[in-house]
Amino acid sequence: MADNNSNTKMSRRKFIKNSGYVAGGAIGGGLLGTLVTTSVTNNGSQTASNTTDGGSNQTNFNKALMYFTRQEDFNILSAATERIFPEDDNGPGAIELGVPYFIDHQLAGAYGHNDKEYMQGPFFEGSDFQGYQTRLKRHEVFDVGIQAIEKQSQQDFDASFVDLEGKQQDEILQKFQDGDVDLKGVTPTTFFELLRSATIEGAYSDPLYGGNGNMAAWEMKQFPGSRMSYLDEIEKEDFIEKEPQALRAHISS
Amino acid sequence: MATQLDKVEVVTVGVGWTGGIIAAELAKEGVKVVGLERGKERSTEDFQMVHDEYRYAIRYDLMQDLSKETLTFRNNRDERALPMRQLGSFLLGEGLGGAGVHWNGQTWRFLPYDLQIKSMTDEKYGNKLGDDYTLQDWGITYEELEPYFYQFEQTAGIGGEDNPMGAPRSNPYPNPPMVDTPITKRFKEAAKNLDLHPFQMPSANMTENYENPDGQKMYKCQYCGFCERFGCEYGAKASPNVTVIPTAQATGNFELRTGANVTEILHDGNRATGVRYVDVQTGEEFEQPADIVVLTSYVMNNTRLLLQSELGQPYDPETGNGVIGKNYCYQILPGATGFFEEEKFNTYMGAGALGASVDDYNGDNFDHSDVDFIHGASVSITQTGKRPINNNTVPSGTPNWGQEFKSQSIKYYHRTLSVGGQGASMPHRDNYLSLDPDYKDAYGNPLLRLTYDYTEQDRKLHEYISEKCAEILKEMGADNVEPRSISDHYNIVPYQTTHNTGGVIMGDDPETSAVNNYLQMWDADNVFVVGASAFAHNGGYNPTGTVGALAYRAAEGILKFRDEDSQLVQAKKDSQLA
Ligand SMILES: Cc1cc2nc3c(=O)[nH]c(=O)nc-3n(C[C@H](O)[C@H](O)[C@H](O)COP(=O)(O)OP(=O)(O)OC[C@H]3O[C@@H](n4cnc5c(N)ncnc54)[C@H](O)[C@@H]3O)c2cc1C
Ligand code: SF4
């Protein structure tokens, strides 16, 4: 057994030297030791490195568009995400969390262009059990879907989607989820499911992606984010609340 | 024109757990081994930014690049198979260490019953499932395989405790079990009240700092909650990268080539002469001649390469003849969710193999006379670390978006626990692997085609085990318990498990199996096919403990083959039926 054999115990110093981490206790590190260690051990309060990127007295220059070309499309997207993840008693909704920017940024990159996905033809509409089957890439699915939301809104309520009451917006989104809309090149359900999952992803991913502003979604959900070790707490009976910590805590610049 | 390279003794296709074990065992004995791996090199240093659910668990940063290669899927032969365009149901590995980098580490031994399932079932219950289920013995007994299980457990530093209904052990686990948390304790108490036999799940997340028999060191797990789908930033999870690959490298006899995608097994009739591969960075083609070719490229590619290279006889579901592609099995996941109104659990903490289980409903551990199925499931509670994007459990009837969804998913995030079973999947003549006639990979070769759906056996087992899981949760004090139901058909979209098995199955009869119990091909003496592709059916556990044992067995076979240069096992002509 490992604990009977002194050879198997690595020395603490050697471990630090080998990997740049501290094991065996409640602390660990990231790329460079000191800053990280301070922030990780400073459990009770938000660390300096966390507050600087979301502070309200600082302009966040990430909030600009890298994919959408028309403000109008972006506004429709924003309104739709807010209905999927609305502001409520728990806290902020999609817009305040930055989810629309998260989606915009994602659509501009590998996600939007299905870089790691098989996109060779021929394309056929699959059964419900065969998954994504469209020649459209995700960014195109969003284009098509957003235009269709607006069209449906004009058709049903004679008004732009962004000007509708929440309940009316829900009715339209529900039609997409149920597949009761005509879309070209992709099923409305596929579009809706993409929109829905991207919204949840934007709400709860690390703030490095532009959503989950101030880690407010993690706070609502009481998820502590990226922490190195729970060794000292894993056996405790009571629920342990912790301030969330972002990945940024593991980098030194 | 492909560039001809100098001949080596052994070449392996893929460097994950199986490729790593073969390389380590042979290189230690002085054999020159070349390991070809289509993906990138990676090690613990690459995992310092790994606590990123979006990048790793949602966008699958460590997994197979499907733009180059995927598989096609249909539920039955009358349907058109379509490409799995995005990963979902299972997360295929790619890159040094394969899926062993991002596994959980729940490490089991299959039951003695699994290895002789056909004869043991027939003896006790007759031909209960009927002839459409292509149940077979594995051509090896548990007793014969036991030392190899232990060898893998020592290499991977498994921590565990006695499982009263599990496979018997001649040695204790190399490490103590993982910590008992309020969640695992609660499960165990409930299980005991129900007269079941709970124990701590066997784990490849180190429970102590550990040095394995090859001198590789691993460090104590920190219960960081980012294990499954992630690499371990501490080197605390046994992976090929912190065990067998460095062992192979230290000998000086192992040459690793990453970015090498094997497209064909070259052979002269029934003797392999080497492999052809593409350098994925330059597109250049190479031929690597070898005395022995070892396929260690996971279930899917092991099968595909054989079919594509026309080595062995393809399985034909119409006639039941042929073996390559036969007995593909997946796993079914019965279970139940318990909602606790007044309590919150620290479910965000955890480790990939932190959990507690009962085996009372697994294998033939209970009497099947009055049920319509055979086998069963290990039933467990796990505390792997719940992350917020992927965990939004809400009571059934709740919409999956909008205000109610938001508040319920937040409310129940720490207030739900699940008990689940890994349901053993029995082979059926209609579930199999073949080559797709239409879709091609980036190198112009046909994709593998998966034809698969749930069987009646699966459905009955699912229902039975889900009910048992619900009983345990009720006993645990949940206010509300919802048993899972099985979907109309197998769906390739939601993640289920990466426990695919079959396609190149082992046995004692060349008519019904592709490899012998050293995983040596019956049809090509110098080809060994290693992995869960050898499983003749899928059991009620995670596969890698058994995969590891078979890999050590295969390594021994390869060493024997170097001396004997022939079939290592005398084929049995008669079927397994006694
Ligand atoms: C999220 C997840 C969790 C899991 N958890 C558990 C668990 O808790 N317990 C358990 O027992 N199992 C678990 N597994 C399964 C486990 O990871 C696998 O059983 C194991 O890794 C299989 O090892 P392998 O060597 O057969 O294949 P792999 O690890 O897949 O390695 C195969 C390698 O071959 C390479 N390759 C494939 N084709 C080619 C080619 N043509 N040319 C060159 N290289 C090629 C691949 O890139 C890959 O690196 C899990 C898997 C996943 C994905
Ligand atoms: S839970 Fe343990 S083994 Fe898993 S990644 Fe964290 S420290 Fe490593």
Side-chain angles (χ1 to χ4, degrees):
Chain A
M1 305 259 286
D3 51 349
N4 296 335
N5 182 349
S6 58
N7 285 333
T8 66
K9 295 239 171 184
M10 85 187 138
S11 92
R12 192 178 166 87
R13 260 193 59 214
K14 186 157 175 232
F15 183 54
I16 297 171
K17 199 169 134 250
N18 284 348
S19 64
Y21 290 110
V22 182
I27 51 169
L31 286 178
L32 288 170
T34 18
L35 178 101
V36 174
T37 310
T38 341
S39 64
V40 173
T41 45
N42 189 6
N43 272 344
S45 61
Q46 273 202 4
T47 59
S49 59
N50 282 335
T51 43
T52 46
D53 60 23
S56 52
N57 56 353
Q58 221 185 330
T59 312
N60 187 342
F61 292 101
N62 288 338
K63 295 202 165 179
L65 299 184
M66 177 228 267
Y67 174 72
F68 287 101
T69 46
R70 294 186 185 186
Q71 182 77 41
E72 190 195 335
D73 292 344
F74 184 69
N75 293 348
I76 295 166
L77 170 77
S78 302
T81 59
E82 183 69 16
R83 293 314 298 168
I84 290 170
F85 199 84
E87 183 179 348
D88 67 357
D89 294 346
N90 291 294
I95 292 179
E96 194 181 328
L97 291 169
V99 168
Y101 289 102
F102 163 88
I103 294 178
D104 172 79
H105 294 5
Q106 287 297 305
L107 290 177
Y111 166 84
H113 293 78
N114 302 53
D115 274 5
K116 278 185 80 179
E117 269 107 37
Y118 188 80
M119 294 302 283
Q120 294 182 41
F123 290 89
F124 299 98
E125 193 173 315
S127 76
D128 289 348
F129 306 95
Q130 288 175 306
Y132 193 92
Q133 297 294 338
T134 164
R135 70 172 68 239
L136 302 187
K137 295 185 174 179
R138 290 195 191 91
H139 73 95
E140 296 167 311
V141 172
F142 272 83
D143 287 347
V144 168
I146 286 170
Q147 281 159 20
I149 288 181
E150 182 61 13
K151 196 171 141 210
Q152 197 65 34
S153 171
Q154 295 290 353
Q155 192 178 308
D156 292 1
F157 299 106
D158 208 12
S160 172
F161 184 76
V162 294
D163 296 328
L164 300 183
E165 300 287 320
K167 281 235 150 48
Q168 296 173 318
Q169 291 176 328
D170 290 352
E171 262 177 56
I172 296 208
L173 293 175
Q174 191 61 54
K175 278 192 178 175
F176 280 82
Q177 183 169 37
D178 295 342
D180 294 338
V181 188
D182 276 336
L183 276 199
K184 207 171 148 190
V186 61
T187 69
T189 312
T190 299
F191 162 64
F192 181 81
E193 289 306 323
L194 264 186
L195 174 67
R196 186 186 72 84
S197 46
T199 302
I200 293 168
E201 286 157 12
Y204 289 123
S205 56
D206 192 279
L208 90 90
Y209 296 99
N212 191 11
N214 285 328
M215 298 182 281
W218 285 353
E219 211 148 304
M220 276 188 275
K221 222 171 177 179
Q222 294 185 308
F223 176 67
S226 168
R227 288 180 172 268
M228 297 302 287
S229 175
Y230 297 117
L231 186 60
D232 291 346
E233 292 151 318
I234 184 83
E235 290 166 280
K236 299 254 159 72
E237 285 288 341
D238 291 333
F239 184 73
I240 302 173
E241 257 182 77
K242 285 173 177 292
E243 288 292 327
Q245 175 171 284
L247 262 183
R248 177 153 168 70
H250 304 297
I251 205 152
S252 62
S253 59
Chain B
M1 268 295 284
T3 306
Q4 296 287 324
L5 300 167
D6 290 340
K7 187 168 174 182
V8 294
E9 209 176 339
V10 175
V11 67
T12 78
V13 181
V15 189
W17 266 125
T18 55
I21 290 170
I22 299 296
E25 290 307 290
L26 300 187
K28 281 193 287 186
E29 296 299 319
V31 183
K32 297 277 183 202
V33 182
V34 166
L36 300 175
E37 166 56 48
R38 66 182 173 187
K40 290 193 283 194
E41 189 151 354
R42 55 191 178 186
S43 66
T44 302
E45 281 121 68
D46 293 302
F47 305 138
Q48 309 199 344
M49 287 289 133
V50 91
H51 285 191
D52 182 342
E53 183 186 13
Y54 185 61
R55 175 170 170 186
Y56 293 99
I58 309 292
R59 302 265 72 88
Y60 309 132
D61 205 67
L62 295 173
M63 286 104 185
Q64 182 170 323
D65 179 353
L66 296 189
S67 73
K68 297 204 169 128
E69 174 187 338
T70 182
L71 47 89
T72 67
F73 162 68
R74 57 185 182 175
N75 280 125
N76 59 65
R77 275 189 280 150
D78 296 330
E79 219 169 58
R80 185 201 300 273
L82 294 177
M84 174 178 79
R85 296 187 180 276
Q86 313 182 339
L87 284 170
S89 185
F90 34 81
L91 299 173
L92 303 167
E94 175 173 301
L96 193 60
V101 166
H102 49 77
W103 71 320
N104 268 325
Q106 305 171 4
T107 313
W108 300 88
R109 298 174 170 197
F110 273 25
L111 295 164
Y113 172 70
D114 280 308
L115 304 178
Q116 293 169 285
I117 191 165
K118 171 77 175 156
S119 26
M120 287 171 83
T121 304
D122 283 355
E123 192 183 318
K124 209 158 156 192
Y125 306 107
N127 185 8
K128 189 172 173 123
L129 295 184
D131 290 336
D132 283 344
Y133 291 84
T134 43
L135 218 55
Q136 290 180 206
D137 288 354
W138 291 28
I140 195 165
T141 64
Y142 176 76
E143 260 178 7
E144 289 170 285
L145 204 54
E146 215 247 327
Y148 307 98
F149 274 113
Y150 188 53
Q151 212 175 344
F152 181 66
E153 289 166 355
Q154 283 183 299
T155 300
I158 305 306
E161 68 181 9
D162 190 42
N163 167 4
M165 318 223 28
R169 305 181 56 86
S170 311
N171 308 84
Y173 283 102
N175 273 314
M178 298 208 95
V179 297
D180 215 1
T181 71
I183 294 173
T184 52
K185 279 185 187 149
R186 185 118 161 196
F187 172 91
K188 287 179 188 168
E189 262 161 47
K192 277 187 201 138
N193 294 344
L194 296 167
D195 291 326
L196 305 172
H197 301 83
F199 58 96
Q200 203 74 353
M201 180 181 280
S203 166
N205 315 141
M206 290 313 105
T207 53
E208 298 287 343
N209 293 338
Y210 178 71
E211 180 173 331
N212 79 8
D214 295 317
Q216 304 303 336
K217 295 189 175 91
M218 286 175 278
Y219 306 114
K220 187 168 172 164
C221 166
Q222 301 294 304
Y223 300 89
C224 77
F226 279 78
C227 218
E228 174 177 22
R229 305 184 178 199
F230 307 86
C232 179
E233 73 273 35
Y234 292 99
K237 173 167 65 174
S239 72
N241 313 58
V242 296
T243 58
V244 285
I245 295 168
T247 297
Q249 281 167 327
T251 63
N253 292 324
F254 176 58
E255 190 197 334
L256 171 68
R257 288 183 213 146
T258 50
N261 190 90
V262 176
T263 53
E264 195 182 342
I265 306 156
L266 304 166
H267 58 101
D268 186 359
N270 283 356
R271 191 152 184 115
T273 55
V275 299
R276 184 197 305 273
Y277 71 92
V278 182
D279 179 325
V280 303
Q281 287 177 321
T282 62
E284 208 178 338
E285 274 201 312
F286 293 93
E287 281 186 13
Q288 177 61 67
D291 292 331
I292 301 171
V293 172
V294 191
L295 298 191
T296 51
S297 57
Y298 194 64
V299 175
M300 307 304 181
N301 280 297
N302 285 354
T303 308
R304 186 167 93 109
L305 281 170
L306 290 171
L307 290 171
Q308 196 186 293
S309 313
E310 297 183 0
L311 203 54
Q313 200 194 341
Y315 171 69
D316 178 353
E318 207 69 65
T319 61
N321 295 334
V323 287
I324 310 296
K326 185 181 164 184
N327 280 26
Y328 169 82
C329 288
Y330 195 44
Q331 219 164 29
I332 52 159
L333 301 180
T337 304
F339 295 81
F340 295 77
E341 295 297 328
E342 306 300 333
E343 284 174 274
K344 283 167 87 174
F345 302 92
N346 289 316
T347 43
Y348 61 85
M349 307 174 185
L354 173 59
S357 311
V358 292
D359 255 341
D360 300 73
Y361 304 117
N362 204 0
D364 200 28
N365 288 347
F366 62 106
D367 185 31
H368 290 68
S369 305
D370 294 330
V371 295
D372 293 342
F373 60 89
I374 63 165
H375 215 303
S378 60
V379 168
S380 310
I381 196 156
T382 55
Q383 187 178 350
T384 57
K386 268 194 195 171
R387 293 166 297 272
I389 302 174
N390 256 340
N391 289 284
N392 290 290
T393 309
V394 290
S396 67
T398 312
N400 69 356
W401 56 281
Q403 206 272 315
E404 194 190 344
F405 165 75
K406 182 185 171 192
S407 62
Q408 294 287 67
S409 61
I410 288 172
K411 173 179 172 191
Y412 285 111
Y413 183 44
H414 300 289
R415 289 174 207 268
T416 50
L417 297 177
S418 293
V419 169
Q422 297 196 47
S425 178
M426 296 302 114
H428 191 277
R429 59 179 301 157
D430 292 334
N431 290 334
Y432 70 109
L433 301 168
S434 54
L435 290 181
D436 191 274
D438 300 318
Y439 292 94
K440 305 242 181 314
D441 71 6
Y443 311 100
N445 295 314
L447 296 182
L448 189 72
R449 176 175 65 183
L450 165 64
T451 307
Y452 177 74
D453 206 350
Y454 299 132
T455 63
E456 275 312 294
Q457 146 84 24
D458 290 337
R459 293 177 191 284
K460 300 209 167 106
L461 193 154
H462 192 287
E463 199 180 324
Y464 182 87
I465 300 288
S466 290
E467 218 24 74
K468 299 295 179 196
C469 296
E471 275 170 27
I472 296 174
L473 275 163
K474 275 177 209 146
E475 187 63 31
M476 286 172 71
D479 296 295
N480 228 316
V481 176
E482 295 186 0
R484 272 180 224 155
S485 51
I486 195 166
S487 62
D488 290 348
H489 296 282
Y490 165 69
N491 184 346
I492 201 146
V493 180
Y495 182 73
Q496 289 150 69
T497 79
T498 309
H499 304 164
N500 304 281
T501 63
V504 196
I505 60 174
M506 61 192 287
D508 60 11
D509 178 357
E511 298 248 310
T512 55
S513 61
V515 294
N516 66 27
N517 63 29
Y518 287 102
L519 309 192
Q520 177 186 30
M521 273 189 89
W522 294 114
D523 285 345
D525 293 349
N526 67 339
V527 177
F528 290 75
V529 188
V530 189
S533 51
F535 293 11
H537 69 276
N538 204 348
Y541 301 118
N542 314 62
T544 310
T546 304
V547 166
L550 291 174
Y552 278 104
R553 168 87 182 165
E556 193 181 293
I558 295 166
L559 291 170
K560 264 176 89 152
F561 174 76
R562 288 172 76 230
D563 297 331
E564 299 175 17
D565 194 12
S566 64
Q567 262 303 313
L568 301 170
V569 178
Q570 176 87 42
K572 250 193 215 136
K573 215 44 197 136
D574 20 317
S575 84
Q576 308 81 343
L577 269 170

